[in-house]
Amino acid sequence: MKVSFCIPTYNRAVYLESLIQSIKLQQPHGLELEICISDNASTDGTDELISVWEQNFGIPIQYKRHEKNIGPDRNYLAAISLAKGDYCWIFGSDDMLQSDALAIIESELNKKNDIYLCDRKEMDINMSVVKDGHRKWLSNGTKEYIFNGDDDRVNYFNNCMSLGGVFSYLSSIIVKRSAWNNITFDSNFIGTAYPHVYILLKILETQGSSINYLSMPLVLCRGDNDTFESSGKARRILIDYMGYFKLSDALYNDKPLLKRSFENILTKERPYIYTTLMIASYADNKEKNSYCSYQKRLGNSESITKLLLVFGPIATTLKKSMFFKEITKKILK
């Protein structure tokens, strides 16, 4: 069985080297590996290090450097297009593998599921301290899900504890390459930050398709390094609403129960009170108006949302208090 690590990257040479090292230093396994790197016109010398990494780590590397930055979404898809493996493990270039990840995955791949989804362990930016431990995506623990109709998809969505369950986090996703290639991509999802999610959700529409959810933190997630936060904390929050509502409208508009169960995952990922206070603290007026419309769609009162948003300065003060931190922990449990 051959596994391709499909890694989109941009100016992350230091982190990328650590990722490749974590792949090399895995506990014994019998998988054939390749590393596929799609470089979004990095200027940090990533291209010059490729041959060094191949020599040092002894893993074949398929590398493509784009002449200009093609945006993160196209780069995600480009990384997978380089693969020749039976399975593609889509991986963020700043994350790392848990030391026993490949030994565990090898035993599971014999089941030949279409998608494998694992949990993550949340670390600090230096990968030296565990911040929040084991981040789980689904509520029922390790389980295989088979999809033969809408009821199966509703059941799966209802078990999702966060957007990670519907593929928001790249490094948790392993997908059968043949299943991926069978889907015709809709280019309207370029610019959403979630083009890969469209393809994965379309795979679940195939009769008899399957997800093997492994409730094990096989990935080490580097914290405080979210590329999309560079445009601001409020913008990062709104990306989730924009992307997942667009997916919902495109895939489930004529299926109300399926649509509702899918959109409810947003409320688990972004608890109403906490998220509204975050928006109050960080958003401009345009972003606040967008947020109000999203909450109205989720069934929350527009007037109450606007009232909460008035308290931006108070929210900022509260957010720094120990009381608010304790309340937040309880909400997010």
Side-chain angles (χ1 to χ4, degrees), residues 284-327:
D284 59 27
N285 287 334
K286 183 178 179 180
E287 291 167 335
K288 288 177 181 178
N289 288 335
S290 296
Y291 179 74
C292 282
S293 68
Y294 296 143
Q295 289 303 327
K296 183 178 180 180
R297 174 166 170 166
L298 289 171
N300 292 311
S301 166
E302 187 174 13
S303 59
I304 291 176
T305 302
K306 288 182 176 179
L307 182 63
L308 288 170
L309 290 176
V310 169
F311 297 102
I314 298 174
T316 302
T317 303
L318 278 174
K319 217 163 62 62
K320 296 176 182 178
S321 73
M322 288 303 297
F323 171 76
F324 185 81
K325 290 176 182 177
E326 290 302 315
I327 291 295

Side-chain angles (χ1 to χ4, degrees), residues 136-149:
K136 300 179 181 181
W137 305 133
L138 274 77
S139 59
N140 280 353
T142 295
K143 185 175 178 180
E144 185 180 39
Y145 294 84
I146 309 295
F147 300 92
N148 288 310

